Amino acid sequence: MVDAHRVLLVDDDVVVRAFFENFFAGQPEWEIVASACNGEEGVAAYAAHEPDLVLMDLQMPGISGVEATRRIKDDHPEACVIVMTSFVSDDLIVAALRVGAAGYLEKGADGEAVLQGLRQALRGEMPLSASVRQCLVTRLLEDEPPDVEDGRSLGVTCRERELLGWLAHGMTNQEIARQMYLAEGSVKQYLHALGAKLGEGSRTGILMRAIRLRLVDPYRLPRPR
């Protein structure tokens, strides 16, 4: 029997916590190992339980979900944090992505959409809507100057830049593999190599650094190499 994925739930709304606890109770693939009602408790609960994944509300009393995510990622870079909100605030979501969140889910999403997003996150993919991804790209290009380091000096190959282009358009590993005529495992190897070259451990981090280095034009489809 495969062990269930361990989830930490952080939300100040008791009704939301009860909903997710009941929902996951019927999903053998998932187990809520702890729940917290504010950001401070969430940070402490992560250190105590080291779950596979965190579902983090963005707006809570005390420290926000963005700040709680930052603290968790600072202490545990490998942490996989999915932020949630009941309304779409692109600025707030982008702030969470910038401090290391792996993706975003709407609280009102149906159960299958939630599970799909969580599975994507654990595969190292980014559960993001197209509008949030576009907002992230726009903020990176408009608000931050290019990194002074030349991306070519990091040894990023043409083939890796093509992969970054598909990544910027929100494609999954399976979709990238089809576009590049690769096995899905090879896509993962490319991403691992890119992470090492760019000094980033997550898919979101790789994409953000690549955009800052101007290694990828997120508004154009890549040319196959």
Side-chain angles (χ1 to χ4, degrees), residues 92-104:
L92 201 56
I93 297 164
V94 167
L97 295 172
R98 278 178 155 169
V99 298
Y104 153 77

Side-chain angles (χ1 to χ4, degrees), residues 137-202:
V137 167
T138 301
R139 294 291 189 277
L140 289 172
L141 292 175
E142 292 181 351
D143 298 349
E144 300 181 21
D147 280 2
V148 294
E149 191 172 16
D150 185 347
R152 287 172 296 184
S153 70
L154 298 175
V156 177
T157 67
C158 291
R159 192 71 162 153
E160 288 169 339
R161 291 183 70 157
E162 180 190 348
L163 186 147
L164 288 169
W166 298 121
L167 189 68
H169 282 79
M171 290 193 174
T172 65
N173 288 353
Q174 187 178 58
E175 290 167 339
I176 292 171
R178 285 199 296 266
Q179 290 290 340
M180 297 181 67
Y181 300 99
L182 294 170
E184 194 169 342
S186 298
V187 173
K188 294 178 182 178
Q189 291 175 354
Y190 269 109
L191 286 169
H192 181 76
L194 277 165
K197 291 176 181 180
L198 300 180
E200 297 288 346
S202 72

Side-chain angles (χ1 to χ4, degrees), residues 23-205:
F23 175 70
F24 283 117
Q27 305 293 331
E29 182 184 354
W30 306 93
E31 174 193 5
I32 291 185
V33 294
S35 62
C37 63
N38 57 54
E40 291 93 339
E41 285 189 8
V43 173
Y46 189 94
H49 296 277
E50 296 189 358
D52 300 313
L53 188 144
V54 182
L55 280 175
M56 176 76 72
D57 185 22
L58 279 177
Q59 291 197 307
M60 295 180 287
I63 68 171
S64 68
V66 174
E67 175 61 15
T69 298
R70 184 192 67 77
R71 293 186 189 183
I72 290 173
K73 292 293 291 186
D74 282 351
D75 292 338
H76 309 274
E78 75 288 353
C80 182
V81 181
I82 302 297
V83 295
M84 304 184 297
T85 184
S86 56
F87 64 95
V88 177
S89 171
D90 287 351
D91 288 340
L92 201 56
I93 297 164
V94 167
L97 295 172
R98 278 178 155 169
V99 298
Y104 153 77
L105 292 172
E106 290 186 40
K107 287 184 182 178
D110 64 57
E112 188 52 43
V114 170
L115 294 178
Q116 181 180 353
L118 301 188
R119 293 179 187 124
Q120 280 184 290
L122 290 179
R123 290 197 302 265
E125 297 172 358
M126 293 181 293
L128 295 175
S129 68
S131 64
V132 170
R133 184 178 295 103
Q134 182 66 42
C135 185
L136 173 63
V137 167
T138 301
R139 294 291 189 277
L140 289 172
L141 292 175
E142 292 181 351
D143 298 349
E144 300 181 21
D147 280 2
V148 294
E149 191 172 16
D150 185 347
R152 287 172 296 184
S153 70
L154 298 175
V156 177
T157 67
C158 291
R159 192 71 162 153
E160 288 169 339
R161 291 183 70 157
E162 180 190 348
L163 186 147
L164 288 169
W166 298 121
L167 189 68
H169 282 79
M171 290 193 174
T172 65
N173 288 353
Q174 187 178 58
E175 290 167 339
I176 292 171
R178 285 199 296 266
Q179 290 290 340
M180 297 181 67
Y181 300 99
L182 294 170
E184 194 169 342
S186 298
V187 173
K188 294 178 182 178
Q189 291 175 354
Y190 269 109
L191 286 169
H192 181 76
L194 277 165
K197 291 176 181 180
L198 300 180
E200 297 288 346
S202 72
R203 193 185 191 92
T204 306

